[in-house]
Amino acid sequence: MNPALLETSVSARIDPFESLNAEQRLAVAHGLGDDSDDARPLLIIAGAGSGKTNTLAHRVANLILHQGDPQRILLLTFSRRAAVEMERRVGGVLNRVLGLGSARQMPSLPWSGTFHSIGARLLRDYAARIGLDESFTIHDRADAEDLLGLVRHDLGLSSTKNRFPQKGTCLSIYSRTVNSQEPLAQVLRQVFPWCAHWESELKQLFGAYVEAKQEQNVLDYDDLLLFWSEMMADPQLGAEVGARFDHVMVDEYQDTNRLQAAIVRGLKPTGQGVTVVGDDAQSIYSFRGATVRNILDFPHQFSQPSRLVTLERNYRSSQPILDVSNAVIAQAAERHSKTLWTDKKGSTQPQLVMVPDEAEQARWVANRILEHREAGLTLKSQAVLFRTSSHSAALELELTRRQIPFVKFGGLKFLEAAHVKDLLAILRFAQNPRGRMAGFRVVQLIPGIGPAHATRLLEAMDVAADPTAALEAFQVPASASTEWQSFVLLYRALRQPQRAWPADMDLVKRWYGPHLERLHDDAAARRLDVDNLERIASSYASRERFLSELTLDPPDATSDQSGAPHRDEDYVILSTIHSAKGQEWTSVHVLNVVDGCIPSDLSTGSQDEVDEERRLLYVAMTRAKEHLQLLVPHRFYVTQQSALGDRHLYAARTRFIPEALAQKFETLVWPQAMAEVTGAQAGLPSIQVRERARSAWR
């Protein structure tokens, strides 16, 4: 955008921020006045449904309106889609304020994206300065797991006398250690206690894994943050990178880990120009290495204290829902204090629904979903949330029996589909000939070539001065000769630097087509993903950028959602609470709100774990706009992997809703017969069996 355009007198136009409330306006205007406070870092505590994204978008737009250079604004989000949405909203604000027509180019935000994607770009920019080869490729989690598995096997850890942790567990331990910046022994003791006696072997494994990545010129997700953090820790290089940006803005700061917080501090040690937005009450991703301490301690992490702006006005939920949600989170031992409020008075109270077991829970939810539908609520505006994916099993059966369509969040992801991994492996192998995981997968696509020949080829390429020449000279079995020559021609073409992107994608698609038909019975459905991948490729400027961005922020799959050809357009949403964060529905049912489920009996080993479970319930409750139902089954069924067999567990209402708080809910008992039986038994004499048992030992 022409900077002169921004000199247009905004004051002569309508107030660009008239739609914002007073607290939002404070956040938007920070750093743009004469007040000395404006030089401080800014912490925006944005309660659930308080217009966080809208506020951040207006702040970015206001910076640009005050001559801020979009090229010098670093905006860190937690998905590429969030970055795109932010850019769209910023453009909308500027269009409204400056009166730009649709034909005028909106200012782009070239440095908006995820921590991992921005890290990948900076590492490539500074590769020569930090000892990296700029042609590095990035392993997704599956590839990283496979490489770690190979190293594990080479070290003889797959044939130990006692069972050694599987490759997936090993990668989780490695990733947790890197991202939490905690000693391996501490991570093992706190999170993986069953693996603690393998500490020395794991250290050896992780050291060999790092060496293998270096030899193959590959980075995994954790490297992108670790190496970026190391850059920021160097005084000269850290200052140089930080000087590229006037403003560093971080969305969802409560979900950052220690490495990410260190990166932000390294970029702007004084805190000037730093804005972070988040809500400590919605910090629920510690299993990914995130720590709520980042946002709790932020006010004092820089050389000057931060300015705190709290957004408490909620635009989503009715006041009765906010009342119970506020009461749940108020029990937290440590938090940034806030009380959500709204103008939406609400005509219904949140409900506590007491049911005998999971079967009745499923029937009650199905009944209520249909009642809401008859009252005018679409199925898509209704959601059922649960702590763990398995908790919805009984409900899924009930919905299927009643022919109520539903979609459950989860399942196969785009980059986990075999055909997509094949296509990307071909491109990665061409980008980085020393990438053994990609090469091992690609070469074995050719009939007649197995693991032994693939290994010999990759070893030959690894020691060759010209890997492409080594591949072309490699001798394959006669049965693979024809297909091999076809692949050699493809590889030679992909290695030509002058080829324009995305022509590479078209070449790969043509070569892979016959293999797709040969390998998969459902090739027609999978071809949709291939076409989708080609469309995605056309939106990137280079093969390297495409591979990096797609690995770091994959789209959803198409083939895993195709289902029946005439699928209902309306369906109920089933989701884990973790997957529901950031979403909202008119009606929300929360299953199994009992001790043992919320909080999970596996997450009560420390006060920090209990506090996060409380935040998880808070997140679930604040997804609801008008109707909130918490289901409390008296007993629920669990499968025991022991001689005891399967059994039922009896549980009480979650500890997060004590009796005083329960009074704020409307309490229902299902089925009604239970209430009648309870009333009829009220007049009968009671037998204090617990007291009798205690008396026997006095």
Side-chain angles (χ1 to χ4, degrees):
M1 172 181 283
N2 183 353
L5 182 61
L6 296 181
E7 295 178 3
T8 304
S9 176
V10 176
S11 60
R13 302 177 181 274
I14 61 172
D15 180 359
F17 308 118
E18 62 180 351
S19 63
L20 304 181
N21 62 44
E23 290 73 23
Q24 290 173 329
R25 292 172 73 100
L26 279 176
V28 167
H30 174 78
L32 300 173
D34 297 327
D35 192 332
S36 60
D37 283 349
D38 285 348
R40 296 189 293 164
L42 174 64
L43 170 60
I44 304 174
I45 295 297
S50 63
K52 167 183 69 69
T53 303
N54 191 44
T55 302
L56 190 57
H58 277 79
R59 175 157 175 73
V60 175
N62 202 25
L63 292 174
I64 296 173
L65 288 172
H66 285 78
Q67 307 301 304
D69 184 352
Q71 306 278 337
R72 296 179 59 80
I73 296 176
L74 175 59
L75 177 58
L76 296 164
T77 63
F78 273 79
S79 73
R80 181 169 176 267
R81 289 172 293 279
V84 171
E85 171 63 14
M86 188 66 67
E87 190 165 333
R88 185 191 67 80
R89 292 203 188 196
V90 171
V93 175
L94 294 176
N95 180 51
R96 186 175 69 252
V97 174
L98 300 175
L100 301 178
S102 58
R104 305 296 290 271
Q105 183 179 4
M106 293 294 176
S108 64
L109 297 170
W111 288 99
S112 66
T114 66
F115 270 95
H116 291 89
S117 64
I118 297 297
R121 288 176 61 187
L122 288 171
L123 292 180
R124 219 173 287 276
D125 286 350
Y126 292 90
R129 302 267 298 275
I130 58 176
L132 288 179
D133 183 334
E134 65 179 13
S135 65
F136 67 79
T137 50
I138 302 170
H139 273 180
D140 62 16
R141 181 174 175 84
D143 287 337
E145 192 174 294
D146 288 343
L147 178 57
L148 192 59
L150 287 176
V151 176
R152 174 179 177 272
H153 178 75
D154 290 342
L155 292 176
L157 296 174
S158 58
S159 56
T160 55
K161 181 179 179 180
N162 296 322
R163 182 174 62 90
F164 191 76
Q166 293 289 334
K167 61 182 182 180
T169 303
C170 291
L171 185 61
S172 295
I173 296 171
Y174 172 82
S175 183
R176 182 65 173 255
T177 304
V178 170
N179 286 284
S180 68
Q181 293 291 279
E182 295 173 343
L184 174 60
Q186 182 176 334
V187 170
L188 290 174
R189 184 174 61 254
Q190 294 181 345
V191 188
F192 303 92
W194 62 94
C195 304
H197 61 287
W198 292 109
E199 181 184 353
S200 61
E201 289 84 357
L202 286 168
K203 280 186 177 179
Q204 180 188 13
L205 172 62
F206 297 155
Y209 172 59
V210 170
E211 291 291 337
K213 288 188 293 181
Q214 182 172 336
E215 290 171 2
Q216 298 181 34
N217 194 30
V218 297
L219 275 61
D220 61 20
Y221 285 165
D222 302 317
D223 292 330
L224 299 175
L225 299 183
L226 180 62
F227 293 178
W228 188 7
S229 176
E230 291 295 328
M231 285 172 56
M232 294 300 95
D234 180 81
Q236 181 178 350
L237 195 53
E240 185 177 328
V241 176
R244 296 177 65 163
F245 307 107
D246 296 326
H247 299 277
V248 176
M249 314 180 79
V250 187
D251 195 11
E252 303 287 6
Y253 194 69
Q254 77 280 349
D255 296 332
T256 55
N257 59 41
R258 285 192 173 92
L259 270 181
Q260 291 163 326
I263 288 169
V264 174
R265 292 195 302 271
L267 285 165
K268 297 292 178 185
T270 68
Q272 185 168 357
V274 173
T275 298
V276 302
V277 185
D279 182 7
D280 56 289
Q282 298 184 68
S283 178
I284 58 174
Y285 293 116
S286 66
F287 66 92
R288 296 179 184 171
T291 172
V292 70
R293 298 305 327 170
N294 284 348
I295 195 166
L296 290 176
D297 298 339
F298 182 87
H300 307 291
Q301 286 190 334
F302 296 90
S303 58
Q304 53 182 333
S306 69
R307 181 180 187 182
L308 174 65
V309 175
T310 304
L311 307 183
E312 296 180 300
R313 182 176 181 178
N314 179 282
Y315 295 92
R316 174 189 299 155
S317 306
S318 65
Q319 191 61 51
I321 292 174
L322 295 182
D323 288 341
V324 294
S325 301
N326 286 332
V328 165
I329 202 62
Q331 303 169 61
E334 186 178 4
R335 67 191 183 102
H336 287 295
S337 180
K338 63 181 176 301
T339 302
L340 299 181
W341 64 275
T342 183
D343 291 331
K344 297 169 61 176
K345 300 304 181 185
S347 57
T348 60
Q349 287 292 112
Q351 296 177 325
L352 278 176
V353 185
M354 321 302 290
V355 294
D357 52 35
E358 289 181 294
E360 291 297 341
Q361 175 177 250
R363 282 191 278 274
W364 189 90
V365 171
N367 286 344
R368 181 53 60 94
I369 287 171
L370 293 178
E371 289 174 10
H372 281 326
R373 182 171 177 269
E374 289 302 311
L377 290 186
T378 62
L379 295 180
K380 281 185 180 179
S381 67
Q382 305 182 59
V384 183
L385 308 183
F386 29 86
R387 172 64 177 84
T388 303
S389 183
S390 60
H391 289 176
S392 66
L395 178 61
E396 291 177 48
L397 292 174
E398 183 69 14
L399 295 176
T400 301
R401 186 180 68 81
R402 301 229 203 156
Q403 298 183 336
I404 301 173
F406 65 89
V407 167
K408 185 174 180 179
F409 278 77
L412 188 66
K413 299 296 187 294
F414 189 76
L415 294 188
E416 295 170 0
H419 52 295
V420 175
K421 289 182 71 68
D422 289 343
L423 288 162
L424 294 178
I426 297 168
L427 293 170
R428 288 192 182 112
F429 190 37
Q431 183 75 15
N432 177 17
R434 304 195 192 281
R436 293 178 70 97
M437 296 310 302
F440 196 72
R441 183 184 189 97
V442 170
V443 174
Q444 292 184 84
L445 290 173
I446 300 169
I449 296 183
H453 280 90
T455 300
R456 286 199 293 271
L457 168 65
L458 296 173
E459 288 174 348
M461 294 178 68
D462 195 39
V463 299
D466 184 350
T468 303
L471 180 142
E472 293 177 352
F474 188 73
Q475 296 298 313
V476 299
S479 60
S481 176
T482 302
E483 290 289 352
W484 176 252
Q485 289 306 314
S486 174
F487 174 71
V488 168
L489 291 174
L490 171 69
Y491 194 78
R492 184 187 301 151
L494 294 177
R495 290 289 295 163
Q496 293 176 0
Q498 68 273 22
R499 181 171 296 279
W501 176 261
D504 293 7
M505 190 67 216
D506 183 60
L507 286 176
V508 172
K509 178 183 173 184
R510 291 171 183 269
W511 180 84
Y512 183 70
H515 298 283
L516 181 68
E517 299 288 343
R518 174 176 58 83
L519 294 169
H520 303 289
D521 293 334
D522 58 344
R526 293 174 185 262
R527 203 175 295 113
L528 295 173
D529 282 342
V530 175
D531 294 338
N532 190 29
L533 192 66
E534 186 176 31
R535 285 193 297 271
I536 294 171
S538 65
S539 65
Y540 290 87
S542 68
R543 183 171 67 193
E544 171 271 312
R545 189 73 180 268
F546 167 71
L547 290 172
S548 295
E549 292 289 341
L550 194 69
T551 301
L552 297 172
D553 190 28
D556 293 330
T558 55
S559 58
D560 71 317
Q561 296 182 358
S562 55
H566 301 295
R567 183 179 187 172
D568 293 76
E569 293 183 359
D570 197 15
Y571 43 82
V572 176
I573 304 297
L574 307 187
S575 174
T576 62
I577 301 172
H578 286 100
S579 296
K581 187 170 173 293
Q583 305 297 315
E584 60 181 40
W585 295 275
T586 304
S587 174
V588 170
H589 301 79
V590 186
L591 302 184
N592 293 343
V593 186
V594 296
D595 263 25
C597 293
I598 306 178
S600 167
D601 55 5
L602 298 177
S603 299
T604 55
S606 69
Q607 187 59 48
D608 287 344
E609 290 179 336
V610 173
D611 285 343
E612 179 156 331
E613 292 290 303
R614 179 184 291 107
R615 296 193 294 267
L616 200 62
L617 177 60
Y618 173 81
V619 167
M621 294 169 66
T622 53
R623 301 309 96 194
K625 297 199 292 189
E626 296 178 14
H627 305 281
L628 174 63
Q629 297 89 190
L630 306 187
L631 281 295
V632 184
H634 180 52
R635 65 177 185 169
F636 56 93
Y637 183 78
V638 295
T639 300
Q640 297 291 311
Q641 295 182 345
S642 70
L644 296 176
D646 298 343
R647 64 192 178 104
H648 284 87
L649 292 181
Y650 293 83
R653 183 181 66 233
T654 177
R655 69 189 71 178
F656 302 140
I657 303 180
E659 189 58 37
L661 175 51
Q663 303 303 317
K664 295 179 179 290
F665 290 83
E666 175 188 0
T667 300
L668 303 179
V669 181
W670 173 269
Q672 188 60 35
M674 282 187 62
E676 296 170 356
V677 170
T678 301
Q681 292 177 343
L684 298 178
S686 61
I687 302 175
Q688 301 297 325
V689 293
R690 290 187 181 276
E691 182 58 32
R692 290 188 181 185
R694 281 193 291 267
S695 298
W697 298 96
R698 289 174 180 163

